[in-house]
Amino acid sequence: MRIRKIDKKLSSKARDRLGNLFENTWLPELLALITSLASLIVIIGLLAAYDGQDISCWHFPEGITLNAVISTFSTISKGFLAVAVSAGLGQWKWLWFRKEERTLKAFDVLDRSSRGPWGSTQLLFISKFKYEIEEASGSLVIILSLLTDPFVQQVLTYHVESEPRDGINAQLPVAYKYSKGSETVTKSGVSSVRAMMDFSMSGALLRGLSQDAKVITQQVPFVCNSGNCTYEVFPSLGVCSACNNISSALMKSIMHNKFSQVDPAVTEGYTGSLPMSRNLTTYSLPDGNMLYNSDLDDSNREDPSSNPQVSMTAKANFDPAQTHSFRDQSLLFFGLSIIRANYKMITDTQMSGWSETPVTATECALCFCGKQINASVQNGVLREHMQTIPTSRISDSWRSTGAVSDFTDTSFNFSSADALNSGLKGDQASRVLWIPRSDLQIVIKGSPEQTFNVSQVSIDSMQPGFLSLFPADIDETETQGASFGNVVLLVGNTSAVKATSSSARVLWDSSNVTELFETLALSMTNELRRSDDNNEKINGTTEFSITIIQVNWPWMALPIGLVIFGSIFVIISALESHRLRQPIWKDESLPILFHGLDQDSTQSRSNLLRIRDMSRMAEMTKVRFVNDGRKIGLGMF
């Protein structure tokens, strides 16, 4: 029993000693500051450790993010700092009155400042009392602590970067050698061949004439598992295009009292009379392309549809020597001249004749060439920038492998023997007179080790493919070529537009023939790459999108500054209390109850029940903290 009483007495003393440490010293505030500072150090350590790192490096229980952890430690730091600073502000109301007498209202304002941001705001910005720098610093720390959370939220940001990774497939097709197409060679006095363009290349022609360049680009087969890949700039066999205005080469001739030939398809079944005497105006080019119409006479001026008009003709050419502006293009494999008249002016009844209609001529060409390709894949979309690089034919390539005496056809033009059509004359859309040749070889200038090959079968098969779209012959007795005009549908005597081929319609509808040929060249280039003989590929680098943690350190200035200034304020409060031998009452309420105004002072003001009345009286009542041995507390003066 006695031992139990001793234990109780010891435990009671221990509790009293511990209570004295927490109630009559600055130990709680010191522990609070240490906790606040430790939390801040943890935040800084986490930020430094993960700054610039992939977010996948963050390993924590699922659902808990780095932001959440930073915010938690920020709240802990802010909360414990507020505990220490509030205690310091509470102590300063006693220190203030220990130094000099002040009004009771000042005591009330100081006491409120220790209880939260609103009281601190009243002290700094609302009350008219003069305060010292210490009270201002503590109150400012309390107010600015409200901004800690928004600032901490701005510390962490994330951005996406691409990280290259090896060992993952990323490929693009490239063309070094092309031999697609087919031909059947026969001999009946002169070697001849029936050639046919490869089906895939035929499709490329149609796509190039009908689809947008952006769509054509996406038709290149590529491998990029991540959806983001980069490739080194690489050369490839390709097709280049060019278009020139050759209106100056147009030759105009007028034949008077000449009947204009009419398309038999238009006049078939027509039993009426046709006008026979009109002026015939012809526009022609040196390659044989021509466009001609007859003038309207008084009998059909009011109804122009009674006189068929052709608005455009186009003629294919496979020999650069027969072109007007591409004679020096030794790699040309297709040329097209276009004569085009102003359609609206043809049908304008105010015109005196067809001879006054504005007519223009354009010449376009397709050539084999070298392409320098800068490619990348971004978000699964292929982006390619192609640039033509200087190339030339190897002189020993595209040479005849048979004797000249073997070719006895008088239509063969030996002066064009170096042309890619071998001086051949079109016999049918898929039949040419043939000479056996070695492969065409193209070399990049300045880089002789990079050579491109195109076989004869591929070049021979190009011609029938283009001839199926654009005819090569136009004569004076029949409007052939890719013609397009305002012709008569005799049923009902109404006008309509007719094109002799779908490709003629594409040429007519195109507002920019240069862009049309550029798209056609792009489509053919893609097909060359897709159908390379050896299925050559360019390897690239696969890039994966990763989220990077970025720390914006300037936003940490406020939390760090608050901890520093708050700690200094509490330390100054403790030192000043020790210097003035002021009891450590801080923001406790009991000292006010036990050591407030004396009984006489409070009794004379016992009739003040409203806060407003008390506030007015407090502004007029001056008090001071007294500790003279007889009394400890506030005394009136």
Side-chain angles (χ1 to χ4, degrees):
M1 191 68 139
R2 182 178 179 82
I3 294 175
R4 185 176 300 175
K5 288 182 178 179
I6 294 174
D7 290 341
K8 286 184 177 179
K9 187 179 294 184
L10 290 174
S11 62
S12 177
K13 289 183 178 180
R15 285 197 302 270
D16 291 343
R17 188 175 301 167
L18 184 62
N20 182 62
L21 286 175
F22 275 88
E23 295 172 2
N24 299 317
T25 68
W26 292 94
L27 180 61
E29 289 70 32
L30 178 62
L31 294 176
L33 289 177
I34 292 174
T35 303
S36 178
L37 181 61
S39 299
L40 184 63
I41 292 174
V42 170
I43 292 174
I44 295 174
L46 287 173
L47 294 177
Y50 289 98
D51 187 15
Q53 298 296 315
D54 183 358
I55 195 172
S56 62
C57 297
W58 171 251
H59 300 293
F60 218 71
E62 185 176 357
I64 301 179
T65 64
L66 179 60
N67 281 74
V69 174
I70 297 298
S71 295
T72 299
F73 279 102
S74 172
T75 302
I76 293 173
S77 178
K78 179 183 69 174
F80 278 93
L81 179 65
V83 169
V85 173
S86 296
L89 281 172
Q91 183 69 10
W92 269 99
K93 68 176 177 285
W94 301 108
L95 293 175
W96 207 7
F97 281 84
R98 183 64 179 264
K99 293 179 180 179
E100 59 181 84
E101 63 180 32
R102 295 175 183 271
T103 64
L104 279 175
K105 184 64 177 178
F107 187 89
D108 177 60
V109 171
L110 275 172
D111 185 61
R112 290 184 184 183
S113 69
S114 67
R115 303 187 187 281
W118 174 238
S120 296
T121 302
Q122 287 181 307
L123 173 65
L124 292 179
F125 305 109
I126 299 178
S127 66
K128 300 178 181 179
F129 301 106
K130 294 182 179 180
Y131 46 79
E132 297 181 4
I133 187 65
E134 292 86 353
E135 296 95 328
S137 300
S139 297
L140 195 61
V141 168
I142 294 294
I143 294 172
L144 291 180
S145 65
L146 296 175
L147 302 176
T148 300
D149 290 338
F151 269 64
V152 170
Q153 291 298 323
Q154 296 295 324
V155 169
L156 281 180
T157 56
Y158 303 90
H159 66 276
V160 178
E161 290 185 359
S162 295
E163 181 183 69
R165 297 182 185 177
D166 298 328
I168 301 177
N169 200 16
Q171 292 183 336
L172 275 177
V174 60
Y176 295 132
K177 185 175 183 180
Y178 182 76
S179 301
K180 297 296 186 293
S182 62
E183 58 186 6
T184 303
V185 180
T186 60
K187 285 192 176 183
S188 56
V190 178
S191 296
S192 63
V193 62
R194 184 173 294 275
M196 183 177 295
M197 179 180 279
D198 181 65
F199 183 79
S200 296
M201 184 60 76
S202 298
L205 295 186
L206 297 177
R207 289 193 296 271
L209 292 172
S210 60
Q211 295 181 346
D212 185 79
K214 293 181 180 179
V215 177
I216 297 294
T217 299
Q218 298 308 311
Q219 293 173 355
V220 176
F222 64 89
V223 177
C224 181
N225 294 335
S226 68
N228 293 283
C229 297
T230 57
Y231 305 85
E232 295 290 337
V233 177
F234 61 93
S236 175
L237 174 65
V239 175
C240 296
S241 68
C243 290
N244 298 321
N245 188 324
I246 59 170
S247 299
S248 60
L250 279 172
M251 295 174 288
K252 178 180 178 182
S253 62
I254 300 176
M255 291 181 287
H256 298 281
N257 299 323
K258 173 76 173 178
F259 170 63
S260 175
Q261 297 289 341
V262 181
D263 190 339
V266 177
T267 60
E268 182 179 359
Y270 180 63
T271 59
S273 60
L274 291 172
M276 298 298 292
S277 180
R278 295 175 184 163
N279 292 336
L280 184 67
T281 303
T282 303
Y283 292 90
S284 61
L285 288 171
D287 65 354
N289 190 6
M290 64 177 64
L291 173 64
Y292 56 92
N293 286 301
S294 61
D295 293 340
L296 302 177
D297 57 20
D298 294 336
S299 64
N300 55 30
R301 187 175 299 281
E302 295 180 0
D303 183 15
S305 64
S306 63
N307 186 31
Q309 304 289 316
V310 178
S311 302
M312 185 191 75
T313 58
K315 182 178 182 296
N317 200 329
F318 301 95
D319 184 356
Q322 301 301 316
T323 66
H324 179 75
S325 58
F326 299 105
R327 296 178 181 274
D328 59 342
Q329 297 296 326
S330 63
L331 295 173
L332 180 146
F333 62 86
F334 172 68
L336 186 71
S337 63
I338 305 168
I339 305 177
R340 180 169 180 153
N342 190 309
Y343 173 74
K344 292 184 178 180
M345 295 192 69
I346 291 177
T347 59
D348 188 353
T349 56
Q350 301 300 319
M351 288 183 56
S352 60
W354 154 249
S355 59
E356 297 181 6
T357 302
V359 177
T360 59
T362 305
E363 187 173 50
C364 297
L366 296 175
C367 307
F368 290 113
C369 65
K371 290 285 189 180
Q372 182 171 275
I373 303 176
N374 187 355
S376 64
V377 178
Q378 299 176 9
N379 299 321
V381 177
L382 176 64
R383 305 176 187 276
E384 288 191 333
H385 175 70
M386 293 188 184
Q387 189 174 12
T388 302
I389 51 180
T391 53
S392 61
R393 280 172 54 168
I394 295 179
S395 57
D396 292 335
S397 70
W398 195 244
R399 289 301 178 186
S400 171
T401 57
V404 174
S405 59
D406 293 340
F407 311 106
T408 58
D409 182 46
T410 57
S411 65
F412 180 76
N413 181 7
F414 286 102
S415 65
S416 301
D418 287 335
L420 297 188
N421 73 335
S422 303
L424 305 178
K425 176 185 177 182
D427 190 6
Q428 295 179 3
S430 60
R431 186 177 178 84
V432 295
L433 299 178
W434 182 74
I435 303 172
R437 286 186 175 273
S438 61
D439 285 355
L440 171 68
Q441 291 185 308
I442 307 170
V443 64
I444 299 177
K445 292 182 178 179
S447 180
E449 66 277 2
Q450 184 60 70
T451 303
F452 305 123
N453 281 57
V454 184
S455 70
Q456 182 183 15
V457 64
S458 298
I459 296 175
D460 286 348
S461 66
M462 290 284 184
Q463 298 184 31
F466 279 101
L467 286 173
S468 66
L469 297 174
F470 307 99
D473 296 324
I474 292 181
D475 58 42
E476 296 183 5
T477 61
E478 188 176 1
T479 305
Q480 298 178 359
S483 61
F484 179 93
N486 175 40
V487 300
V488 179
L489 294 179
L490 297 178
V491 180
N493 259 353
T494 57
S495 293
V497 168
K498 176 184 177 182
T500 59
S501 67
S502 58
S503 57
R505 184 81 205 198
V506 172
L507 288 175
W508 178 261
D509 291 338
S510 176
S511 59
N512 191 325
V513 178
T514 300
E515 288 186 1
L516 178 65
F517 267 72
E518 288 175 352
T519 305
L520 179 58
L522 174 62
S523 183
M524 295 185 70
T525 298
N526 291 346
E527 181 56 35
L528 292 177
R529 296 165 60 191
R530 186 186 295 111
S531 302
D532 178 82
D533 287 2
N534 299 317
N535 196 28
E536 295 283 354
K537 305 293 183 184
I538 292 295
N539 293 319
T541 302
T542 302
E543 296 184 347
F544 284 85
S545 296
I546 58 174
T547 303
I548 299 298
I549 301 171
Q550 181 175 342
V551 177
N552 301 311
W553 290 105
W555 289 101
M556 284 297 296
L558 179 65
I560 294 174
L562 289 179
V563 171
I564 292 174
F565 285 105
S567 300
I568 294 174
F569 169 75
V570 174
I571 292 172
I572 291 176
S573 300
L575 294 177
E576 192 69 5
S577 298
H578 179 73
R579 186 180 71 83
L580 297 177
R581 298 182 180 278
Q582 173 63 35
I584 303 174
W585 288 347
K586 295 178 279 193
D587 54 352
E588 297 289 340
S589 300
L590 289 178
I592 298 177
L593 297 176
F594 280 94
H595 301 289
L597 294 176
D598 55 60
Q599 186 176 0
D600 295 337
S601 301
T602 55
Q603 188 173 1
S604 63
R605 293 165 176 79
S606 60
N607 60 336
L608 300 177
L609 301 179
R610 296 187 303 173
I611 298 297
R612 180 65 175 170
D613 296 335
M614 295 181 188
S615 178
R616 288 176 178 175
M617 181 59 69
E619 291 177 358
M620 297 182 293
T621 304
K622 291 187 175 182
V623 297
R624 185 173 181 176
F625 186 83
V626 178
N627 186 4
D628 55 5
R630 294 176 301 171
K631 177 183 178 181
I632 300 177
L634 296 176
M636 294 182 56
F637 291 90

